[in-house]
């Protein structure tokens, strides 16, 4: 008999409600859940990939051990026992010789999020790496130093704003990031229906730019100078605007900005002073929100950009305001659960990077494996990550991984990274586990609580959930079992002590979700976690960087072009590469290039082009398009699935090339350790025949 299960799609941050129709262990269909108060029936094509992932014959179901180039299926007992013994031997020689890399899907699994620390604790390692430093770390550093907690993300109040300005984000493809905003398109339609406007600032005319009222092209990585000009313009419009008494130091920042020349900023960014003035007017004349995302974060000035965006919202009176930017009050409060975040607790061995939120830059992982001496990483545990394809100069990292004495991947595929592992430990299938949007509901456009039980029981009774694997590894290494409530029990406890004092049973009784309404304005004073309960705008470390900043001269680039990335609706980083449904259609791993650049270089639409940087070279088809700003080219990341030893047949047939063969591991935002993925200088030429 067919059955309908209500659950949350955990693939991207949008957390859409889905209806999964099943018969036995067969999925008949996956549709949007119209009763989910957050997503209101919306889904994207990726939801159907849940089924592809669940049924994929290439998905690993048992622990794998590599001996030389040969893979063997082994029992869980053998896997844990051997990993424990080998890790202890390495630790006995050098207690600092191990490391972890925690990938993106950990943010989409509350079981992982609550248990990854058991592994790092058992290893006793300071060598912690994650996808955060190729992603949102700049936002978190700005949150920490402005609001006192790295997880205090202000989000645009899209459902009540009149002007939404997006810089460096493409929610039409990504469905939003550090902003849980399912059904973005419909929300924009509603914004326009009430007379509001969407403005996009991006070096590419993106899918989001195409539904916007205005799109302004901007030179990649020049954002800080645009944001400086915009902050100046906003301050000039509202010189006497009374700020809340807990906001201090904006005048100090304003004084520092006066030395930046508007005309020079405009020349560097390609955004005209009149457009800056128009944006400042929009930001100060009604409910409005400025939102910046990945494009402003993954560059050398990432943290400065995140800070300036917050200051613009503050100066325009749009922080903690209805229709401006707001702070949700989630049913499960991450502010209570997570420490605020620390800076500079540890220093990395090779390049002396300061740790940020207890992590070193993912860009520095390769050098810590390569460089001999005490503290050299000899054992690496990768949990749900694919850093060979997702971190800068992945080719260099790939080589480094080969030299490890022990590498363990907790992953369901033998992919670009896990092929280097000695052990791959696969978790239960995606529909065999429960879900709660622990890290994502706190950034949602409505305060909701929604829990999904597993749709299926474990296909194989011996298989383990990720959290059980993490605890198993911790026990195998430390010799001590982890005695703690299960994630489900912990969830219940956290919900009960949370802002709405509800039990998990009450949440489960509403399978499409409990709705606590739109985020309320005016909550910042009680949410603030800074020591003196103020928002001190003139953050000393940021002011120092600002003081040393100079508007770059626009210089000829010796025929070089600037590389940026992009996302497509039918991918999710690298982890849906083996989905039959999502890989259908035209090749999406192309080099986008403006006709003005393509012409003189002899690059033709559809023909192969070779792109070269100081890290390496790739060859891929050119897509000649006026959607790019001239001088800039774009390659999506998460591709390059034809490496020897991989076992992903669908992915191999649609391999593409890795953008991170071109990015550079020494390009880092010094304030956050985040990789500067945007702005790599490349040479482009027709591929040799
Ligand atoms: N050039 C460039 N590089 C980028 C970006 C960019 O825009 N441009 N974006 C960056 C961003 S934002 C991110 S977040 C990173 C992502 O970086 P990573 O997290 O390192 O890479 P993913 O491609 O997300 O790989 C996720 C891995 O987890 C596995 N996986 C999926 N679900 C599960 C699960 O439930 N359990 C377990 N155990 N494994 C699972 C998948 O098989 C895959 O191997 O990439 C970054 N890299
Ligand atoms: N379909 C799909 N959805 C996803 C993912 C996916 O891979 N596919 N990945 C998920 C993850 S892990 C994340 S973190 C989010 C990211 O979500 P978004 O932040 O929306 O990320 P992108 O779509 O990469 O958009 C970044 C934009 O920045 C622009 N950009 C690049 N360089 C610059 C620059 O220097 N300045 C400015 N102003 N803009 C620049 C790019 O052209 C691009 O339009 O998406 C998530 N959702
Ligand atoms: S938008 Fe994200 S959460 Fe919603 S269906 Fe698509 S992948 Fe799933
Ligand atoms: Mo990400």
């Amino acid at each position: 008999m067919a059955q309908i299960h209500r659950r949350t799609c955990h693939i991207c941050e949008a957390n859409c409600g889905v209806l999964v129709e099943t018969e036995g262990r067969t999925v008949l269909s996956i549709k949007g859940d119209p009763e989910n108060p957050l997503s209101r029936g919306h889904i994207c094509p990726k939801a159907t990939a849940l089924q592809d992932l669940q049924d994929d014959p290439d998905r690993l179901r048992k622990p794998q051990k590599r001996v030389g180039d040969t893979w063997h299926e082994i029992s869980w007992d053998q896997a844990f026992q051997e990993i424990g013994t080998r890790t202890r031997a390495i630790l006995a020689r050098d207690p600092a010789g191990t490391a972890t890399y925690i990938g993106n899907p950990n943010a989409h699994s509350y079981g992982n999020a609550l248990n990854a620390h058991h592994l790092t604790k058992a290893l006793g390692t300071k060598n912690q790496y994650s996808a955060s430093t190729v992603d949102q770390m700049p936002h978190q550093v700005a949150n920490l130093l402005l609001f006192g907690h790295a997880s205090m993300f202000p989000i645009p109040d899209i459902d009540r704003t009149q002007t939404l300005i997006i810089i460096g984000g493409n929610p039409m493809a990504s469905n939003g990031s550090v902003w849980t905003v399912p059904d973005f398109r419909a929300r924009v339609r509603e914004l326009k229906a009430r007379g509001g406007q969407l403005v996009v600032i991006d070096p590419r005319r993106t899918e989001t730019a195409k539904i916007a009222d205005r799109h302004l092209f901007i030179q990649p990585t020049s954002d800080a100078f645009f944001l400086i000009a915009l902050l100046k313009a906003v301050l000039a419009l509202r010189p006497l605007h009374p700020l809340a008494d807990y906001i201090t130091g904006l005048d100090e920042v304003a004084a520092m900005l006066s030395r930046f020349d508007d005309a020079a900023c405009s020349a560097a960014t390609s955004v005209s002073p009149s457009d800056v003035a128009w944006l400042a007017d929009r930001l100060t004349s009604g409910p409005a929100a400025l939102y910046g995302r990945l494009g402003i974060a993954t560059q050398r000035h990432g943290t400065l950009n995140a800070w300036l965006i917050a200051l613009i919202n503050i100066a325009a009176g749009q922080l903690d305001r209805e229709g401006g930017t707001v702070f949700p009050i989630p049913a499960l409060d991450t502010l209570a659960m997570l420490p605020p975040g620390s800076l500079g607790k540890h220093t990395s061995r090779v390049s002396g990077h300061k740790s940020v939120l207890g992590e070193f830059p993912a860009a520095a992982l390769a050098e810590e494996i390569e460089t001999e001496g005490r503290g050299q990483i000899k054992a690496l545990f990768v949990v749900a990550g694919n850093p060979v394809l997702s971190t800068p100069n992945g080719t260099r990292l790939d080589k480094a991984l080969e030299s490890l004495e022990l590498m363990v991947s907790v992953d369901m595929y033998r992919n670009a990274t896990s092929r280097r592992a000695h052990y791959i430990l696969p978790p239960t299938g995606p529909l065999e586990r429960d879900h709660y949007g622990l890290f994502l509901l706190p950034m949602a456009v409505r305060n909701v609580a929604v829990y999904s039980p597993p749709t299926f029981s474990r296909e194989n009774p011996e298989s383990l959930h990720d959290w059980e694997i993490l605890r198993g590894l911790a026990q195998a290494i430390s010799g001590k079992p982890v005695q703690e409530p299960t994630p489900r029990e912990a969830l219940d406890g956290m919900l009960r002590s949370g802002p709405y004092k509800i039990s998990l049973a009450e949440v489960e009784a509403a399978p499409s979700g409990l709705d606590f309404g739109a985020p309320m304005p005016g909550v910042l004073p009680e949410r603030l976690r800074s020591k003196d309960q103020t928002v001190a705008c003139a953050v000393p470390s940021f002011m120092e960087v600002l003081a040393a900043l100079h508007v770059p001269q626009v210089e000829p680039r010796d025929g070089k072009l600037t590389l940026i990335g992009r996302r497509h609706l039918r991918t999710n980083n690298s982890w849906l590469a083996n989905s039959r449904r999502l890989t259908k259609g035209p090749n999406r791993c192309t080099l986008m290039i403006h006709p003005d650049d393509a012409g003189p270089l002899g690059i033709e639409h559809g023909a192969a082009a070779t792109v070269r940087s100081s890290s390496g070279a790739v060859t891929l088809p050119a897509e000649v398009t006026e959607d790019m700003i001239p001088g800039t080219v774009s390659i999506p990341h998460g591709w390059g699935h034809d490496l020897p030893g991989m076992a992903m047949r669908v992915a191999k047939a649609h391999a593409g090339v890795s953008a991170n063969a071109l990015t550079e591991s020494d390009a880092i935002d010094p304030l956050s350790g985040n990789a500067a993925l945007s702005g790599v200088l490349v040479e482009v030429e027709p591929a040799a025949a």
Side-chain angles (χ1 to χ4, degrees):
M1 242 214 358
Q3 252 189 305
I4 303 268
H5 307 259
R6 279 167 209 269
R7 70 177 285 132
T8 299
C9 171
H10 66 274
I11 291 178
C12 88
E13 297 176 45
N15 271 249
C16 298
V18 291
L19 303 172
V20 184
E21 192 188 0
T22 63
E23 194 165 326
R25 290 193 76 89
T26 307
V27 176
L28 301 176
S29 68
I30 298 182
K31 299 199 176 102
D33 177 1
E35 286 167 42
N36 181 295
L38 187 61
S39 62
R40 313 178 305 191
H42 173 263
I43 51 166
C44 85
K46 289 190 293 299
T48 58
L50 285 170
Q51 180 178 357
D52 281 358
L53 286 181
Q54 177 69 33
D55 296 340
D56 191 345
D58 289 347
R59 178 167 64 81
L60 303 174
R61 284 156 169 87
K62 297 215 169 120
Q64 313 281 316
K65 174 182 182 179
R66 179 171 64 81
V67 182
D69 287 337
T70 319
W71 287 90
H72 306 270
E73 216 161 81
I74 57 170
S75 70
W76 283 101
D77 281 349
Q78 185 186 345
F80 285 134
Q81 210 212 339
E82 290 183 10
I83 294 167
T85 307
R86 288 170 75 165
T87 309
R88 282 195 301 271
I90 292 168
L91 286 173
R93 260 187 289 129
D94 186 351
T98 69
T100 54
Y101 174 91
I102 306 291
N104 168 264
N106 289 281
H108 300 258
S109 163
Y110 82 100
N112 291 47
L114 296 177
N115 285 282
H117 70 283
H118 294 306
L119 173 61
T120 29
K121 207 174 138 209
L123 293 169
T125 184
K126 298 181 181 77
N127 299 322
Q128 298 182 31
Y129 298 83
S130 88
S132 290
T133 50
V134 280
D135 189 349
Q136 84 290 348
M137 199 56 110
H139 297 271
Q140 294 198 269
V141 173
N143 293 345
L144 174 63
L145 295 180
L146 280 175
F147 310 127
H149 200 293
S151 299
M152 252 185 93
F153 290 96
I155 60 151
D157 190 8
I158 186 171
D159 292 340
R160 294 177 291 189
T161 195
Q162 286 301 106
T163 304
L164 173 58
I165 305 170
I166 297 183
I167 177 163
N170 185 13
M172 280 299 289
S174 68
N175 283 295
S177 186
V178 299
W179 182 27
T180 305
V181 58
D183 208 3
F184 176 79
R185 185 199 285 268
R187 291 179 200 276
V188 170
R189 218 180 288 131
E190 291 159 10
L191 163 71
K192 291 183 179 189
R194 53 177 191 267
Q197 292 200 344
L198 169 67
V199 183
V200 170
I201 303 161
D202 202 291
R204 180 167 75 90
R205 189 183 297 124
T206 60
E207 294 76 1
T208 308
K210 284 176 184 166
I211 65 157
D213 297 276
R214 287 200 67 190
H215 168 227
L216 304 173
F217 279 111
I218 187 167
Q219 294 295 342
T221 73
S222 72
D223 303 79
F225 306 101
F226 161 73
L227 294 167
I228 285 169
L230 183 56
L231 180 52
K232 282 177 72 182
V234 166
L235 286 164
L237 278 177
R238 303 200 77 171
L240 297 174
H241 170 67
L243 293 171
D245 54 6
Y246 55 83
I247 291 178
T248 65
L250 196 55
D251 41 354
E252 252 177 85
V253 182
M256 177 83 85
L257 295 181
S258 57
R259 68 180 184 84
F260 290 93
D261 175 56
D262 294 336
C265 287
S266 169
T269 59
S270 301
V271 181
S272 71
S274 62
D275 282 333
V276 170
W278 175 77
L279 289 165
D281 181 56
R282 290 289 314 187
L283 275 163
T284 49
S285 47
L290 173 64
Y291 161 81
R293 196 39 200 110
L294 196 87
I296 62 95
T298 51
Q299 49 166 291
R300 281 183 203 267
H301 298 314
T303 306
L304 216 52
N305 291 339
W307 173 57
L308 289 166
I309 287 168
L311 295 191
I312 291 166
N313 283 316
I314 289 171
Q318 305 292 1
L319 186 78
D320 193 25
R321 170 186 174 165
E322 183 168 315
T325 55
V326 286
F327 294 92
I329 302 210
L332 204 157
D333 198 352
T334 31
L335 296 198
M337 198 186 107
L338 297 173
S342 65
L343 298 175
K345 239 184 176 170
H346 310 296
T347 304
S348 77
R349 185 178 61 104
V350 179
S351 289
H353 295 294
K354 297 286 178 206
S355 66
V356 173
L357 311 191
E359 297 184 23
F360 292 129
L365 176 56
E367 67 183 20
E368 293 291 340
I369 300 173
E370 290 161 355
T371 311
E372 287 180 14
R374 275 202 83 68
Q376 180 182 13
I377 296 171
K378 293 284 184 187
L380 175 67
F381 291 75
V382 178
V383 183
N386 194 359
V388 166
L389 298 188
S390 60
T391 64
N393 201 345
T395 322
R396 173 178 173 189
L397 179 65
D398 184 42
K399 254 207 180 74
L401 296 182
E402 217 183 341
S403 70
L404 286 167
E405 261 178 55
L406 174 65
M407 178 173 155
V408 177
S409 270
V410 182
D411 209 292
M412 61 251 218
Y413 287 109
R414 199 205 302 159
N415 61 19
T417 299
S418 59
R419 78 196 222 280
R420 294 294 190 206
H422 300 93
Y423 298 88
I424 307 179
L425 306 180
T428 44
L431 296 176
E432 295 165 30
R433 64 170 169 99
D434 65 345
H435 179 75
Y436 187 91
L438 184 74
F439 288 150
L440 304 163
L441 296 180
M443 299 183 287
V445 293
R446 289 192 79 80
N447 292 315
V448 300
V450 50
Y451 173 81
S452 317
T455 305
F456 294 136
S457 59
R458 300 176 203 231
E459 186 179 285
N460 168 353
E462 278 170 23
S463 60
L464 299 177
H465 295 311
D466 274 310
W467 67 269
E468 294 168 316
I469 300 173
L470 290 165
R471 289 185 181 191
L473 284 170
Q475 176 171 356
I477 294 161
S478 70
K480 288 187 234 95
V482 176
Q483 277 160 331
E484 265 196 17
T486 62
R488 211 184 118 86
E489 288 162 350
L491 183 60
D492 182 48
M494 290 187 293
L495 286 166
R496 283 173 191 273
S497 62
Y500 305 103
K501 309 260 178 270
I502 44 170
S503 67
L504 180 55
E506 285 168 84
V507 178
E508 282 192 277
S512 293
L514 282 177
D515 188 7
F516 300 102
M520 300 284 289
V523 304
L524 183 56
E526 67 176 88
R527 301 286 286 166
L528 261 185
R529 292 293 186 272
S530 53
K531 285 211 179 69
D532 54 2
Q533 295 292 300
T534 65
V535 178
C537 296
V539 177
S541 54
F542 301 172
M543 291 292 278
E544 228 172 85
V545 175
L546 191 62
L549 197 66
H550 293 283
V551 187
Q553 298 293 313
V554 184
E555 286 164 359
R557 289 178 291 190
D558 304 329
K560 288 197 173 134
L561 301 169
T562 305
L563 176 68
I564 62 168
R566 67 177 189 273
R567 285 173 159 72
H568 190 278
L569 187 59
R570 298 172 71 89
T571 64
N572 197 46
N573 302 332
S574 75
W575 52 294
L576 299 177
N578 214 53
S579 158
R580 248 181 335 106
R581 284 182 180 79
L582 295 182
T583 46
K584 278 190 195 141
N587 180 4
R588 288 179 282 272
C589 186
T590 59
L591 173 78
M592 285 189 175
I593 181 169
H594 191 276
D596 290 356
D597 296 318
L601 291 168
I603 303 290
E604 283 175 25
H605 188 76
T610 296
V611 186
R612 219 179 293 282
S613 75
S614 66
S615 297
V618 297
T619 296
L620 74 172
E623 185 174 340
V624 179
T625 165
E626 289 185 350
D627 288 344
M628 292 305 303
I629 189 171
T632 296
V633 293
S634 162
I635 302 180
H637 76 290
W639 296 84
H641 306 293
D642 52 359
L643 296 169
M646 282 180 61
M648 297 173 73
R649 287 168 288 186
V650 178
K652 191 171 182 193
H654 307 267
V657 298
S658 177
N660 286 316
L662 298 169
T663 49
E664 292 156 345
S665 46
D666 56 356
I668 287 183
D669 166 23
L671 291 167
S672 66
N674 213 60
L677 302 167
S678 265
V680 179
L681 289 181
V682 294
E683 286 171 301
V684 179
E685 62 185 22

